[in-house]
Amino acid sequence: MKRKSAFLIATACTMMIAGCGNGGNNNSGSNEAATNAPKESAAAEATAAPAKDVTIKMFQFKVEIAEQLNALAEEYEKETGVKVEVETHGGGEDYGALLKAEIASGSEPEIFNNGGYTALVPYMDRATDLSDQPWAANLIPTSKTPATVDGKLYGMPMNVEGYGLIYNKDLFAKAGITEEPKTLSQLKDAAAKLKAAGITPFEATNEWWSMGIHLVNVGLAHQPDPKKFIEDVKAGTATIKGNAVFEQWLDLVDVIFDNAQDNKMTTDYATQVAEFASGKAAMMMQGNWTQGDIDKIDPALNLGLLPLPISDEEGTILVGVPNNYIVNSKSAHPEEAKAFLNWLVTSETGKKYITQEFKFIPAETDITADAADIGQVAVAVQEKSDKALGWNWDMFPDGVTQGFGAAMQEYLGGQVDRDQLLEKLDKAVQDIVKQ
């Protein structure tokens, strides 16, 4: 179904980000909106034909679009003569550690990914102020928040994303489930019906980032004030162990882990998505970024998106800006990098890739997308966005979420009990902040 206008997608996405109001701000004023209006001189500079015989490097983590990005780079070289070399590290790899190693080796990619907030701080000596770029005026205002410091925008929001429990509607129907489960009790009942019908309820993964970032974030996002809670945990004045919300959160974790496939300890991200897309399980905790990989296996799969409930109150999905493109001022060709990003969101080729190939919900209000382009899961994200909670993990310093992930892997494998898991989550924070 065609959306009625660019206004509708802008409104829908604005609602989605507004639902992330609990995402929190950092203490350096990084959440002030970037107020600088685009300048004519900067616009002319960014849109001018870049010099030929130039190569810029993009060091990026989005494995789901690696193939499409390489194709996009070829299109850009045909149109401009500038070569874009794309290097992708994600999935089971530690992108943050690899980026640090890349820079330490003396290589300075022109463009790299960063989540903003605390994660941006170590790269402020490289991040280029992009406030005056032509596309900045067209961003959904709140999508600027993670990469804004002292009123200046230091990153281009990659897109808008949401996650929850992606589910196979046909398998639900086969099990006699006629209504979407919204509470934890209803989710337990659905899992029982699926098992009774011989259907594996959940396809889980052993990936540290899926559990340590996305799953732990459910407990963070449900705090009355996520930002304050995170700051208190970092300061040692609050703990995850003993927190009432995280005690409830464990019940959700147990429902997923206890009703997942037998080989969950050896299931990486790619296998998780492939097995789910093949109909081997009814649900998986992932987001709309998986649509492209699902479509490669079964583009006709009938999908929906469920909330992640932690109690008998209705649950929510989680929505935010997954990452930002940072232009590296210490690279050889920062101006060409700015020109490429401008082309990405203003050219017809770039817009086509963002929506039809990447399956992204655009962060720019002037880019329209068909529901057929961005996929069923993205449409479901938009439909459920009015009650969405936010993404909070980038308020922790680098290394904390990796510690979360290691603890979650131990819990997945039955090596620690509930109390020990919560203790390890606390320890993961303190091990980093005390360094």
Side-chain angles (χ1 to χ4, degrees):
M1 176 183 292
K2 186 85 173 176
R3 293 204 192 100
K4 293 182 180 179
S5 67
F7 173 77
L8 286 184
I9 190 169
T11 302
C13 290
T14 301
M15 288 173 62
M16 285 178 11
I17 299 293
C20 299
N22 287 337
N25 307 328
N26 67 23
N27 294 328
S28 63
S30 66
N31 290 312
E32 298 174 21
T35 56
N36 294 356
K39 300 176 183 177
E40 292 183 8
S41 60
E45 180 182 357
T47 56
K52 295 183 185 250
D53 300 323
V54 168
T55 297
I56 62 175
K57 182 174 182 178
M58 173 184 280
F59 196 88
Q60 74 96 31
F61 87 109
K62 209 93 171 90
V63 295
E64 298 87 357
I65 62 169
E67 181 181 335
Q68 296 91 327
L69 264 177
N70 286 323
L72 175 69
E74 292 179 7
E75 295 278 0
Y76 188 67
E77 186 173 6
K78 289 177 185 176
E79 292 189 23
T80 67
V82 173
K83 181 177 177 61
V84 180
E85 178 184 308
V86 180
E87 185 171 336
T88 299
H89 294 282
E93 296 181 289
D94 187 338
Y95 174 83
L98 290 169
L99 175 60
K100 289 179 180 178
E102 178 80 1
I103 292 173
S105 73
S107 174
E108 294 281 355
E110 272 72 18
I111 300 169
F112 59 87
N113 294 150
N114 186 274
Y117 295 122
T118 303
L120 183 58
V121 174
Y123 299 98
M124 283 303 296
D125 61 334
R126 286 174 169 79
T128 302
D129 181 4
L130 302 176
S131 306
D132 61 358
Q133 291 301 288
W135 46 262
N138 296 320
L139 289 174
I140 298 164
T142 45
S143 72
K144 302 176 183 180
T145 301
T148 296
V149 179
D150 296 330
K152 296 180 180 180
L153 182 66
Y154 288 92
M156 172 191 278
M158 182 182 290
N159 62 320
V160 174
E161 291 182 343
Y163 70 93
L165 293 171
I166 302 175
Y167 78 102
N168 185 321
K169 292 183 177 181
D170 293 335
L171 291 182
F172 267 46
K174 183 178 178 181
I177 303 169
T178 57
E179 294 184 8
E180 288 189 349
K182 297 179 180 179
T183 68
L184 189 61
S185 294
Q186 291 170 351
L187 185 62
K188 289 179 181 178
D189 290 343
K193 289 180 179 179
L194 287 163
K195 291 178 82 169
I199 300 168
T200 301
F202 296 95
E203 184 74 23
T205 177
N206 65 359
E207 298 283 9
W208 73 267
W209 56 268
S210 182
M211 295 184 290
I213 293 177
H214 295 150
L215 191 49
V216 172
N217 180 62
V218 178
L220 297 171
H222 277 86
Q223 300 295 327
D225 185 340
K227 180 194 172 187
K228 183 178 185 304
F229 178 72
I230 290 171
E231 293 303 318
D232 288 347
V233 170
K234 288 192 292 187
T237 58
T239 58
I240 293 173
K241 184 179 181 182
N243 177 263
V245 171
F246 266 95
E247 292 290 344
Q248 292 179 316
W249 166 81
L250 277 170
D251 294 334
L252 169 66
V253 175
D254 286 345
V255 170
I256 296 174
F257 288 1
D258 293 346
N259 293 282
Q261 78 279 15
D262 291 338
N263 65 336
K264 57 183 178 288
M265 279 298 296
T266 57
T267 301
D268 61 13
Y269 169 74
T271 303
Q272 178 195 30
V273 176
E275 297 285 282
F276 173 80
S278 300
K280 295 186 178 181
M283 293 176 277
M284 70 171 178
M285 189 196 73
Q286 287 294 349
N288 60 285
W289 54 83
T290 61
Q291 186 77 63
D293 287 334
I294 291 172
D295 288 348
K296 290 176 184 177
I297 296 172
D298 187 355
L301 209 60
N302 191 12
L303 301 176
L305 185 68
L306 300 173
L308 285 159
I310 63 170
S311 68
D312 282 337
E313 294 184 8
E314 184 175 335
T316 70
I317 62 169
L318 293 301
V319 174
V321 174
N323 236 279
N324 301 274
Y325 295 117
I326 308 299
V327 173
N328 185 358
S329 63
K330 294 188 178 183
S331 66
H333 304 292
E335 294 305 316
E336 287 83 354
K338 287 193 284 186
F340 170 71
L341 291 180
N342 185 56
W343 175 88
L344 175 62
V345 295
T346 59
S347 71
E348 291 306 311
T349 303
K351 290 178 180 179
K352 181 193 78 171
Y353 269 83
I354 287 172
T355 57
Q356 297 179 24
E357 302 297 331
F358 299 169
K359 305 291 184 183
F360 278 177
I361 302 172
E364 295 79 15
T365 61
D366 59 335
I367 300 179
T368 59
D370 292 341
D373 292 339
I374 62 176
Q376 300 172 77
V377 182
V379 170
V381 167
Q382 291 177 310
E383 291 173 348
K384 297 179 184 293
S385 62
D386 59 332
K387 297 179 180 178
L389 295 178
W391 295 6
N392 305 278
W393 53 83
D394 277 315
M395 284 186 271
F396 287 108
D398 187 38
V400 171
T401 55
Q402 290 87 338
F404 287 167
M408 293 299 294
Q409 287 171 333
E410 290 187 75
Y411 191 66
L412 179 71
Q415 299 164 269
V416 296
D417 61 23
R418 288 165 64 110
D419 283 345
Q420 290 171 323
L421 170 62
L422 298 181
E423 288 172 359
K424 284 179 175 288
L425 295 181
D426 280 320
K427 186 175 185 298
V429 178
Q430 294 306 314
D431 283 349
I432 297 297
V433 299
K434 288 181 178 179
Q435 289 181 359

